[in-house]
Amino acid sequence: MNRKSKRPKPHLRKSDHSAPPPKPTSTQPDMRHFFALSLDLLCVAGVDGYFKRLNPVWEKTLGFSRKELLARPYLEFVHPDDRALTVAVAQKLAAGLPLGTFENRYRCQDGSYRWLLWNALPVARQGLIYAAARDITDRKQTETALRESTERYRSLFEGVPVGIYRSTPTGEILEANRALVEMLAYPDRESLLATPAADLYADPAERYRWQDAMEHEGAVHTNEVQFRRRDGKIVWVRDIARAVRDNDGHVLHYEGMWEDSSQRKQSEEELRKLSSAVERTPDPILIAGANGTIEYVNAAFEKVTGFSAQEVIGQTPRILKSGVHPQDFYRRLWDTILAGQPWWGTFVNRRKDGQLYFSEASIAPIFSTQGEIAHFVSVERDITERKQAEKKLQEFADEISDLYNHAPCGYHSLDPEGVFIRINETELGWLGYAREEILEKKKFTDVIREEDVRAFEVGFATLKEQGWVRDLEFRMVRKDGTTLPVLLSATAVRDSAGKFKMSRSTVFNLTERLVLEDMKRQESRAAQETEIARQVHLRLFPQTAPALETLEYASACTQARAVGGDYYDFIDLSPGRVALVVADVSGKGLSGALLMAGLRADLHSNCQVALRDLPHMLKLVNHSFYESTDPGVFVSLFFGDYEDAARRLRYANCGHNPPLLVRVDGTVEHLGGTGPVLGVLLEWECSVAEAQMAPGDILVFFTDGVPEALNDAGEEFGTTRLVETVRANRHLPVSSLLKVIATTVQRFSSGEQKDDQTLIVARAR
C-alpha cells in the first residue's frame, strides 16, 4: 500500500457497515464450517467500528441476536471502563500494526458483562480485522475468588488478636503472626522465628511435656502455661494446638494459638477479692439482670430485708416495694439507669415482716463487652435510724420555728451595728415589710420614729454593756407610715471572747389593733397565694416544643388578672409522636393551679399508656381526678396524639371546645366531643376519633376565654369570628397567625379580661 494512500480511520464512524464480506474463494466454504463450529467467539470487524460477520457463539454468549450485534457499533457493547483500551487497540489494528492478546468486557442482553480474551489480525487492504475471542469470565471469577481467599487468610492470620504459630518437632518456629510477636515482646518476626521454641517457656521442660502430650493425643485444648517474654517478664498463656501428620502418621509440624491469659488470671484474683469484700460488707448489695430479675444478693441484704437469697433470686426488686413512692418515682429511676447513667436516691422499702425501712441507694448499669446493659448493681445503706432521728429533730425544729415565727409577740435580733439579722413573721406582719426588705438592710432605727432614736441608742449601749434591758417603749413605723406602740426587752449574745455578737429581743404590741393587723396579714397571704398560683400556672406550661417534620406549631396563654384554670402541653410520647393537649380546669386561684398541676402530673405519668390505649389512659386520669377532687370540680380536655410520619391526629375530646381543622381549601371541620368532662363521673368512658391532615391544613386549639370574650355591647367573639380570622390569615406563618388571632380577640373585647385565653395554632407541612 502506498504511504500516501489513505487508510480507514480506526475510530468509530458512520459507514456502510452492512456491506457484505469479500466473496469466498474456493477454499472458504470449508473455513466457514470452522467459523460456525468454533467454541470461541469469531468475528470480522470493519475499521468503521461495526461487526461484519459473527459466528453463532456470539449470540449464545451475549444473548443478543446477530442482527442486533451487526446493527450497532461494537464499542456500545464494551464496558465503559474498557472502551478507551478497545479504541486504542482498534486504532493499532487499523494501522496494520501487529498486536498481542488483550482483555475487555462485553455487555450481555441481561445487563451483565462477560470477560473476553482477544487475538486479532488486521487486513489493511480490505479494511477488515479478523479476531477471535475466548470467554474467560469463569477464569476471572476463579482468580478473583482465589486472590480474595488468600487476602482473607492473610488478613485473618495477621489481624487476629491472639498469637498463631507453626513449629516443628525439633523446636523450630516456622510461622508466627504479628500478635504473637507483640505478645512475647520481640522486636520483629525474624528474631522470634530464630528463637528455639523451648526457650520461650518459663520452664523449658514444659515444652517437652507438651510435645509428649501432642505426640500421644494429637491436640491440646486447655493447656495453660507460663512463658518468658523477650524482656524477661513472665506471662500466662493459654495454648490450643494440634499435630499435623503425613500419610504415614509422622508429625510434620504443630500449629496452634497462644492467648495471653495474664489479665484473666489477674482478673480472677481481683474478682475473688471483690467477691469476698461484697460478702463481708455491712451494706446490702443486689445484682439484677437487664430485665430486672434478681440474680445475686449478699449476706447484708438478707440481714436487712429478712429475705433469704433463695427467696429473692428470680424475683424482681418489687418484692421490697412499700407503696410509698409514686409510679413516677420508679419511672424516673428506670429512665436514668436504662440511659446508662447511675441513680442515687432514698427508698422506703418493706421488710419481709412488713416493717418499713429507709434505704440510701445507688444503682448503676453494668455493660457487656458489646456496650449493651447486661446487669444492674444496687448498693444500699440502711438509714432508718438516721431518718427517724432526723424526723424527730425536724419536728422539733419545726415546732421551734413555728413558735418563733407565729408567737403572739415579735422577736428579732440585731447585729452590733443595730441591723436586723433575724425577725419573726409576727413582727414582720406588724411592720408590713417583706423579710428580704428588712434582713441585713434595715437598722432598728429605720423602723422607729425619729424622736425615739436617741432613747434606742442609749438602751442599745446599755444592752451591750450589761447584757440586758427591760421594758423600753418605742413607736415603730410601719412600711405604710403608720406607727405601732411597742414594749421591747432584750438580752445580749456574746462570742467565746465575750464580745457582743447580737441581741435577742422580744417585742409586745401595746395597741388594740390586733384584729386589723391580722386582716392585713391575711390579705398579704392571699396576695402571696395568688402570686404563687400565677407562678405555678406559668411553670406548668411547656418550656420547649418537640420538633416535628410535618407539623409546625405555636402557642400562647394570655392570663386574666385572677389566675384561671387554662392548661396546655406538648408531650413527647415517642419518636415522631407528640400529644397536643388543651384543658380548662374549673376553679381559680391557687386551688385551680394545684388542680392543673395534678392533672399535668397524671397526664405525664400515664402518657405511655396513650401509645397503646388512649381511652384507657384518659380513664385512669379521670379516676385519679375524681378521687382527688371535691364534688363539682371538673376539667374539660382535648388530647390529640399526632403521628408525624403519617400526618394523622388521633384524638379524644372530653367536653372541651371543639378545635378547628381549617383545610387548605378553606373548608372547616370541628373536632367535636368523644366523651364527657373529667372528674364528674366515676364510671367514665370515651371514644377516639381521627383526623387525617394534608400539607397546608391548619389546626386551632383554644379555651373558652377566646370565643366568650365580650365587647361593649355584651356580644361574644364567638367561633364564627374565629373561623373568619383564621381563613383570612391562613397564609401567614403559624406564629404570626397566632398573634393575629390574639390581637383580634383583644381588640374585639373591652374592659378587663375575665378569663384566660389559650391558643395553639398548628399547620401541616
Side-chain angles (χ1 to χ4, degrees):
M1 181 178 291
N2 192 298
R3 285 182 176 271
K4 295 184 180 180
S5 65
K6 294 184 179 179
R7 58 172 67 153
K9 294 184 179 179
H11 57 272
L12 302 181
R13 57 182 174 83
K14 185 75 173 180
S15 69
D16 184 12
H17 53 268
S18 60
K23 293 181 179 180
T25 65
S26 60
T27 61
Q28 283 180 328
D30 291 336
M31 296 305 294
R32 283 199 299 271
H33 289 305
F34 285 111
F35 191 83
L37 293 173
S38 174
L39 296 177
D40 290 330
L41 292 87
L42 305 181
C43 69
V44 179
V47 294
D48 59 356
Y50 285 83
F51 289 119
K52 304 301 181 180
R53 188 174 178 187
L54 299 166
N55 73 340
V57 180
W58 281 88
E59 295 177 296
K60 180 180 178 181
T61 301
L62 300 184
F64 290 104
S65 68
R66 184 178 304 171
K67 183 177 180 181
E68 290 175 306
L69 292 167
L70 292 173
R72 295 156 63 184
Y74 58 73
L75 201 59
E76 289 188 12
F77 299 95
V78 176
H79 192 286
D81 293 345
D82 299 339
R83 288 178 182 173
L85 171 64
T86 304
V87 169
V89 169
Q91 288 175 342
K92 288 184 178 181
L93 291 170
L97 299 176
L99 185 71
T101 60
F102 75 98
E103 299 173 358
N104 65 4
R105 287 164 286 181
Y106 264 67
R107 177 167 53 86
C108 299
Q109 191 179 37
D110 62 4
S112 63
Y113 284 87
R114 306 293 294 180
W115 278 97
L116 302 181
L117 176 65
W118 289 89
N119 204 341
L121 177 67
V123 181
R125 66 179 179 278
Q126 297 178 353
L128 297 175
I129 300 171
Y130 292 81
R134 178 164 295 173
D135 186 349
I136 59 170
T137 304
D138 292 342
R139 191 193 79 189
K140 281 284 188 177
Q141 292 173 345
T142 300
E143 291 173 352
T144 300
L146 181 60
R147 183 173 60 256
E148 291 176 351
S149 175
T150 302
E151 291 174 353
R152 282 196 299 271
Y153 168 76
R154 177 52 59 182
S155 175
L156 178 64
F157 182 76
E158 290 299 336
V160 71
V162 296
I164 299 176
Y165 69 91
R166 182 182 292 123
S167 65
T168 67
T170 60
E172 180 185 0
I173 302 174
L174 302 175
E175 187 102 35
N177 69 345
R178 183 173 61 251
L180 186 60
V181 174
E182 294 174 353
M183 181 192 305
L184 298 178
Y186 277 78
D188 50 50
R189 192 191 313 268
E190 289 69 24
S191 57
L192 176 59
L193 297 182
T195 304
D199 291 352
L200 301 178
Y201 288 77
D203 178 7
E206 285 288 343
R207 169 71 181 185
Y208 304 109
R209 286 191 288 270
W210 173 87
Q211 193 165 339
D212 185 61
M214 292 291 289
E215 186 68 31
H216 290 86
E217 298 177 17
V220 295
H221 299 288
T222 57
N223 186 46
E224 204 159 33
V225 67
Q226 288 183 314
F227 277 72
R228 189 184 306 278
R229 301 195 333 165
R230 178 70 175 268
D231 57 10
K233 183 179 178 181
I234 302 298
V235 293
W236 281 96
V237 172
R238 180 169 176 260
D239 185 15
I240 301 174
R242 72 184 184 96
V244 178
R245 303 177 185 272
D246 60 17
N247 294 334
D248 297 327
H250 300 117
V251 175
L252 295 174
H253 59 264
Y254 308 113
E255 58 186 20
M257 178 176 68
W258 288 345
E259 181 182 6
D260 189 343
S261 59
S262 301
Q263 187 65 40
R264 180 175 58 79
K265 285 279 190 180
Q266 182 180 353
S267 298
E268 288 174 353
E269 177 61 20
E270 292 175 353
L271 185 60
R272 186 191 65 78
K273 294 177 183 178
L274 178 60
S275 177
S276 176
V278 166
E279 279 300 320
R280 295 174 182 274
T281 182
D283 295 329
I285 295 177
L286 176 152
I287 299 176
N291 61 354
T293 302
I294 298 173
E295 298 181 2
Y296 169 83
V297 294
N298 68 346
F301 178 94
E302 296 177 301
K303 180 179 179 181
V304 170
T305 67
F307 288 101
S308 67
Q310 291 76 15
E311 290 175 303
V312 298
I313 290 176
Q315 302 288 331
T316 68
R318 282 193 292 270
I319 197 171
L320 304 174
K321 192 173 181 180
S322 64
V324 172
H325 302 292
Q327 284 300 114
D328 190 55
F329 173 86
Y330 296 103
R331 181 184 60 77
R332 291 195 302 271
L333 184 158
W334 279 103
D335 285 349
T336 300
I337 61 177
L338 287 176
Q341 301 298 319
W343 178 91
W344 291 273
T346 301
F347 285 112
V348 179
N349 284 335
R350 190 180 300 277
R351 294 187 173 95
K352 183 179 179 180
D353 61 9
Q355 290 185 342
L356 300 181
Y357 71 97
F358 287 89
S359 176
E360 197 172 63
S362 65
I363 304 174
I366 300 175
F367 294 92
S368 67
T369 54
Q370 290 76 31
E372 299 176 349
I373 294 176
H375 293 85
F376 299 102
V377 60
S378 169
V379 180
E380 302 183 8
R381 177 164 296 172
D382 186 353
I383 58 170
T384 304
E385 292 182 0
R386 191 186 83 190
K387 280 290 185 180
Q388 291 171 344
E390 288 176 352
K391 182 180 178 182
K392 291 180 180 179
L393 185 61
Q394 186 60 49
E395 289 174 352
F396 180 72
D398 290 343
E399 290 178 6
I400 296 298
S401 177
D402 184 70
L403 178 62
Y404 177 83
N405 278 306
H406 301 100
C409 59
Y411 289 118
H412 69 248
S413 295
L414 307 177
D415 69 8
E417 303 301 322
V419 177
F420 284 97
I421 55 175
R422 293 178 187 170
I423 188 169
N424 73 344
E425 292 292 336
T426 302
E427 192 168 350
L428 282 173
W430 293 346
L431 295 173
Y433 285 102
R435 186 177 301 277
E436 57 269 19
E437 293 178 298
I438 289 286
L439 295 185
E440 298 182 354
K441 292 181 180 178
K442 289 190 179 293
K443 294 184 176 182
F444 189 78
T445 53
D446 295 331
V447 296
I448 60 176
R449 296 182 307 175
E450 187 176 350
E451 52 265 39
D452 291 335
V453 171
R454 179 57 185 163
F456 168 75
E457 290 175 345
V458 172
F460 199 48
T462 302
L463 172 65
K464 292 179 179 180
E465 182 179 349
Q466 67 181 24
W468 58 272
V469 291
R470 297 282 187 272
D471 301 335
L472 303 180
E473 292 189 19
F474 305 102
R475 278 193 173 270
M476 300 184 75
V477 180
R478 299 187 181 94
K479 186 177 181 179
D480 62 7
T482 60
T483 60
L484 172 72
V486 297
L487 185 70
L488 182 147
S489 297
T491 57
V493 178
R494 303 185 186 277
D495 61 19
S496 57
K499 187 177 180 180
F500 179 83
K501 183 177 180 181
M502 66 178 182
S503 71
R504 189 172 288 151
S505 306
T506 305
V507 184
F508 292 94
N509 188 347
L510 299 180
T511 70
E512 296 180 355
R513 290 176 282 179
L514 293 176
V515 175
L516 178 61
E517 293 298 322
D518 186 58
M519 291 175 60
K520 289 185 177 180
R521 283 197 299 274
Q522 291 180 11
E523 291 173 358
S524 175
R525 189 175 295 114
Q528 188 176 14
E529 287 185 358
T530 299
E531 182 56 29
I532 291 172
R534 188 184 301 277
Q535 293 302 320
V536 170
H537 194 182
L538 291 174
R539 291 175 184 172
L540 291 177
F541 294 141
Q543 304 302 309
T544 58
L548 294 171
E549 292 290 335
T550 65
L551 193 73
E552 54 176 337
Y553 52 104
S555 59
C557 177
T558 305
Q559 293 180 303
R561 177 178 297 179
V563 178
D566 279 14
Y567 163 65
Y568 72 92
D569 208 350
F570 307 125
I571 304 174
D572 195 347
L573 299 176
S574 69
R577 296 275 294 277
V578 172
L580 307 173
V581 182
V582 181
D584 193 353
V585 180
S586 63
K588 307 287 184 183
L590 184 57
S591 62
L594 293 177
L595 288 173
M596 255 199 305
L599 173 64
R600 181 181 185 275
D602 284 342
L603 289 173
H604 278 259
S605 62
N606 291 290
C607 66
Q608 290 304 306
V609 179
L611 291 171
R612 303 186 302 274
D613 191 346
L614 177 55
H616 182 63
M617 185 275 278
L618 293 174
K619 191 171 184 178
L620 295 175
V621 174
N622 175 74
H623 185 272
S624 174
F625 203 80
Y626 180 92
E627 293 291 337
S628 61
T629 57
D630 295 329
V633 177
F634 63 91
V635 58
S636 67
L637 178 139
F638 182 92
F639 189 103
D641 175 7
Y642 183 79
E643 187 176 352
D644 196 16
R647 295 190 183 91
R648 181 169 55 244
L649 181 73
R650 295 175 60 254
Y651 67 89
N653 188 339
C654 306
H656 195 75
N657 301 83
L660 304 177
L661 175 51
V662 182
R663 297 294 186 181
V664 70
D665 62 0
T667 58
V668 178
E669 298 175 21
H670 299 267
L671 308 186
T674 63
V677 296
L678 305 177
V680 175
L681 303 173
L682 181 59
E683 298 299 323
W684 183 95
E685 298 288 340
C686 79
S687 60
V688 173
E690 186 173 298
Q692 181 63 51
M693 299 186 68
D697 289 350
I698 295 174
L699 274 171
V700 181
F701 306 83
F702 55 93
T703 55
D704 54 13
V706 175
E708 294 177 5
L710 298 175
N711 63 8
D712 292 336
E715 296 176 320
E716 291 187 344
F717 182 77
T719 305
T720 301
R721 288 188 177 89
L722 179 58
V723 171
E724 292 172 352
T725 303
V726 176
R727 278 176 171 164
N729 298 278
R730 64 179 184 269
H731 61 282
L732 295 175
V734 290
S735 57
S736 300
L737 178 56
L738 184 144
K739 290 179 181 178
V740 168
I741 295 172
T743 302
T744 304
V745 174
Q746 290 171 3
R747 290 175 179 172
F748 173 86
S749 60
S750 61
E752 182 181 347
Q753 182 180 325
K754 301 299 183 183
D755 199 359
D756 291 356
Q757 296 172 355
T758 299
L759 283 164
I760 300 176
V761 178
R763 177 186 283 115
R765 56 187 177 189

